[in-house]
């Protein structure tokens, strides 16, 4: 299919049906999260709600683009919000791990000091957000090949930083999980925390983010003429759908009693057993 200069999407017309269906799915998931936040007071999950709102508005703008391929406003909205939503979702994942580790009663098993863990990753997430937002803003307004290349490199830098932060984050979660398992102290942890279930759900959500970021890295590296930017299905299969799965999976986080009234920390002896 030849590229139409009036079509901001290049070689394809965005699917109206796909955008509307997914926007409705995200709207339902966002409402469910709001309801659970209100009933459980897990306020950290407001980041998930914000990401869901980004997806709803971004997909709605994409549906509008189907009828006006040359209109810049909906095109810019969908590029920015769909690109940035996963950065917001990441913040809720970072905050959830910190709460899990603290509620377990064994914060000393985290290889990053628990008082700094959430702060470090959320600050890194904020940096990723602004770098990617800046790159995306330049990209949608770029007119020359030099401007396009510069904007894509900025987005790539933000995505690369996010992948790096997430790899360190996942290492932190896995190390904590392994230490708990090796020291056979899971029985001391309040069952209402559902630690193993929550950690595995957190791994899955993290994997969704990592796969999505790798897809975006390859997409922007390949450029406007690459397969990923000239076809629509990858953006749904490797980005939007993964974020929907993340929102579905994170609904189980509300069943973890991260406010359980246990001791702040159980002492461990030198052999790694309970003192």
């Amino acid at each position: 299919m030849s590229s139409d200069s009036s079509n901001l999407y290049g070689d394809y017309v965005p699917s109206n049906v796909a955008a509307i269906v997914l926007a409705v799915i995200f709207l339902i998931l966002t409402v469910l999260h709001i309801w659970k936040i209100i009933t459980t007071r897990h306020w950290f999950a407001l980041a998930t709600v914000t990401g869901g709102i980004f997806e709803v508005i971004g997909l709605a703008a994409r549906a509008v683009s189907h009828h006006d391929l040359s209109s810049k406003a909906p095109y810019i909205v969908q590029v920015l919000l769909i690109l940035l939503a996963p950065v917001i979702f990441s913040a809720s994942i970072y905050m959830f791990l910190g709460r899990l580790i603290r509620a377990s009663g064994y914060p000393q098993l985290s290889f990053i000091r628990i008082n700094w863990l959430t702060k470090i990753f959320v600050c890194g997430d904020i940096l990723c957000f602004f770098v990617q937002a800046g790159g995306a803003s330049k990209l949608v307004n770029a007119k020359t090949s030099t401007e396009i290349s510069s904007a894509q490199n900025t987005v790539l830098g933000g995505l690369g930083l996010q992948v790096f932060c997430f790899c360190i984050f996942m290492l932190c979660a896995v190390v904590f999980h392994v230490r708990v398992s090796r020291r056979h102290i899971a029985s001391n942890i309040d069952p209402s925390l559902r630690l193993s279930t929550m950690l595995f759900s957190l791994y899955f959500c993290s994997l969704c983010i990592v796969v999505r970021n790798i897809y975006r890295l390859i997409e922007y590296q390949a450029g406007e003429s690459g397969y990923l930017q000239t076809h629509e299905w990858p953006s749904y299969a490797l980005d939007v759908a993964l974020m929907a799965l993340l929102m579905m999976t994170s609904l189980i986080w509300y069943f973890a009693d991260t406010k359980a009234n246990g001791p702040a920390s159980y002492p461990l002896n030198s052999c790694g057993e309970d003192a």
Side-chain angles (χ1 to χ4, degrees):
M1 182 178 177
S2 61
S3 179
D4 180 358
S5 60
S6 66
N7 182 0
L8 295 171
Y9 293 86
D11 291 346
Y12 68 85
V13 175
S15 170
N16 191 34
V17 174
I20 291 173
V21 168
L22 282 160
V24 171
I25 290 173
F26 275 106
L27 179 60
I28 293 170
L29 289 170
T30 300
V31 170
L32 286 173
H33 274 279
I34 292 172
W35 171 58
K36 293 303 293 183
I37 288 171
I38 292 171
T39 56
T40 64
R41 299 185 181 278
H42 283 66
W43 303 114
F44 74 90
L46 284 171
T48 305
V49 169
T50 304
I53 293 171
F54 273 35
E55 294 282 4
V56 171
I57 298 173
L59 288 163
R62 195 173 178 89
V64 170
S65 285
H66 174 84
H67 303 289
D68 190 354
L69 299 173
S70 61
S71 179
K72 265 200 147 184
Y75 176 75
I76 291 172
V77 169
Q78 66 89 28
V79 167
L80 285 172
L81 297 188
I82 294 176
L83 177 69
L84 296 175
V87 186
I88 308 298
F89 290 134
S90 299
S92 65
I93 295 175
Y94 296 146
M95 289 186 280
F96 184 54
L97 177 64
R99 282 159 175 74
L100 277 180
I101 293 176
R102 191 182 298 277
S104 74
Y106 291 96
Q108 69 271 39
L109 296 183
S110 171
F111 76 80
I112 296 178
R113 189 180 179 87
I114 191 64
N115 291 336
W116 287 99
L117 187 146
T118 301
K119 295 183 182 73
I120 289 172
F121 288 114
V122 170
C123 286
D125 206 48
I126 292 171
L127 178 60
C128 292
F129 180 92
F130 283 111
V131 171
Q132 290 181 53
S137 297
K138 289 195 297 182
L139 185 60
V140 295
N141 292 303
K143 293 182 175 63
T144 67
S145 58
T146 301
E147 290 176 339
I148 292 172
S149 177
S150 174
Q152 288 180 333
N153 287 336
T154 302
V155 174
L156 282 169
L159 287 167
L161 178 61
Q162 193 178 3
V163 169
F164 173 76
C165 290
F166 238 93
C167 287
I168 301 299
F169 168 77
M170 291 182 73
L171 178 64
C172 184
V174 170
V175 167
F176 171 74
H177 200 174
V178 169
R179 285 176 175 176
V180 168
S181 299
R182 283 184 176 175
R183 300 183 189 213
H184 307 291
I185 55 180
S187 59
N188 292 335
I189 297 173
D190 193 325
S192 66
L193 187 60
R194 298 174 173 86
L195 184 62
S196 291
T197 300
M198 296 304 151
L199 283 172
F200 281 118
S201 71
L202 187 145
Y203 297 151
F204 178 77
C205 291
S206 299
L207 183 62
C208 287
I209 295 283
V210 170
V211 170
R212 177 266 177 191
N213 285 347
I214 291 173
Y215 150 66
R216 285 295 189 182
L217 278 169
I218 296 171
E219 178 195 24
Y220 281 101
Q221 186 65 47
E224 291 183 305
S225 60
Y227 180 88
L228 295 178
Q229 285 201 28
T230 56
H231 294 77
E232 184 175 32
W233 74 263
S235 66
Y236 284 117
L238 299 173
D239 187 332
V240 179
L242 290 178
M243 295 307 98
L245 286 174
L246 182 154
M247 286 195 75
M248 290 180 199
T249 302
S250 60
L251 281 168
I252 73 171
W253 294 354
Y254 301 104
F255 294 98
D257 185 8
T258 56
K259 300 174 184 177
N261 294 319
S265 177
Y266 287 97
L268 299 171
N269 62 27
S270 60
C271 297
E273 301 297 335
D274 302 302

